[in-house]
Amino acid sequence: SQTIHQWPATLVQPVGSPLSLECTVEGTSNPNLYWYRQAAGRGLQLLFYSVGIGQISSEVPQNLSASRPQDRQFILSSKKLLLSDSGFYLCAEAVGSSHEQFFGPGTRLTVL
Amino acid sequence: GQNIDQPTEMTATEGAIVQINCTYQTSGFNGLFWYQQHAGEAPTFLSYNVLDGLEEKGRFSSFLSRSKGYSYLLLKELQMKDSASYLCAVRGITGRRALTFGSGTRLQVQP
């Protein structure tokens, strides 16, 4: 079975501060990994996906970036946070015969 | 691009049946998914349809009509724990396997 770890679970940061959110997955080798953001009262928005080490595709222009330094590690970063970066950040892996998205527990980020 | 519509909120009674509709417009289609999301938690996978018809899993069923761009999630014998948001999501035909999500339907089950 899949296990995804995300930390921290919650985070409160001032505007203009840097950000680093970490996601690690257990089990599968060379997983397809994803970062989604869910703003309050809105649907999940795909931010980045990665099919392997060092391979990152960005879905929307923003002040966030992602990196995949190891096979099972996916990191979301920002140099300077904006108020609009507040939200629930979810790391996911494509699993199963239907390749559904399996989500980690998420990080709730509040930018003040 | 992809556009997904589902009702914002629904209310139903414990023990009853509820149907949550989802319509979508997509430039390519490679599957429709339903997820359940309790407040403050991550979404969990409920069902997957790629061909027309009904898929049944216990108390939950999901239906797809590709020609109509339409799906519904049917919940039977509602329980209080079914109070949650239900997210409809569509996968396009690109190789990335990512999903485009609707805004979700918040279901409130009342005694």
Side-chain angles (χ1 to χ4, degrees), chain A residues 94-112:
Chain A
V95 300
S97 57
S98 60
H99 305 291
E100 71 264 19
Q101 304 280 280
F102 176 82
F103 290 93
T107 295
R108 191 162 303 280
L109 171 67
T110 303
V111 182
L112 300 176

Side-chain angles (χ1 to χ4, degrees), chain A residues 4-107:
Chain A
I4 298 179
H5 302 280
Q6 286 188 246
W7 63 90
T10 60
L11 191 60
V12 180
Q13 292 285 98
V15 169
S17 62
L19 174 74
S20 181
L21 302 182
E22 190 157 342
C23 167
T24 58
V25 303
E26 294 182 11
T28 317
S29 294
N30 198 31
N32 282 13
L33 298 176
Y34 307 81
W35 278 111
Y36 288 86
R37 177 174 61 202
Q38 187 175 35
R42 302 185 65 180
L44 279 75
Q45 179 187 33
L46 178 67
L47 301 176
F48 300 95
Y49 72 97
S50 172
V51 299
I53 296 174
Q55 300 180 64
I56 307 293
S57 294
S58 175
E59 289 296 304
V60 293
Q62 58 207 319
N63 71 319
L64 300 171
S65 62
S67 62
R68 188 159 172 186
Q70 299 181 43
D71 184 40
R72 297 184 181 140
Q73 185 183 32
F74 202 20
I75 297 173
L76 184 70
S77 304
S78 174
K79 292 182 179 177
K80 287 186 178 182
L81 284 169
L82 306 173
L83 286 174
S84 57
D85 291 325
S86 293
F88 192 34
Y89 287 82
L90 292 155
C91 179
E93 177 187 4
V95 300
S97 57
S98 60
H99 305 291
E100 71 264 19
Q101 304 280 280
F102 176 82
F103 290 93
T107 295

Side-chain angles (χ1 to χ4, degrees), chain B residues 26-38:
Chain B
T26 178
S27 55
F29 179 82
N30 192 20
L32 186 139
F33 299 77
W34 284 96
Y35 283 79
Q36 181 189 61
Q37 186 178 25
H38 285 101

Side-chain angles (χ1 to χ4, degrees), chain B residues 11-111:
Chain B
T11 302
T13 305
E14 192 176 14
I17 300 173
V18 70
Q19 177 175 312
I20 303 174
N21 296 324
C22 171
T23 57
Y24 64 89
Q25 296 170 317
T26 178
S27 55
F29 179 82
N30 192 20
L32 186 139
F33 299 77
W34 284 96
Y35 283 79
Q36 181 189 61
Q37 186 178 25
H38 285 101
E41 299 181 7
T44 55
F45 170 71
L46 289 178
S47 69
Y48 167 68
N49 296 71
V50 67
L51 300 176
D52 290 351
L54 190 68
E55 294 283 340
E56 296 186 79
K57 267 190 185 180
R59 294 189 300 114
F60 292 9
S61 303
S62 57
F63 172 83
L64 175 67
S65 168
R66 289 173 295 171
S67 62
K68 295 181 179 178
Y70 168 70
S71 173
Y72 67 72
L73 180 70
L74 194 71
L75 291 75
K76 303 175 185 176
E77 302 170 14
L78 280 172
Q79 302 175 8
M80 297 300 290
K81 67 178 182 179
D82 296 330
S83 292
S85 288
Y86 291 86
L87 313 180
C88 175
V90 172
R91 182 166 61 210
I93 57 174
T94 63
R96 56 186 172 91
R97 297 175 180 168
L99 304 182
T100 299
F101 284 82
S103 297
T105 299
R106 189 164 59 206
L107 174 66
Q108 180 71 38
V109 180
Q110 297 178 337

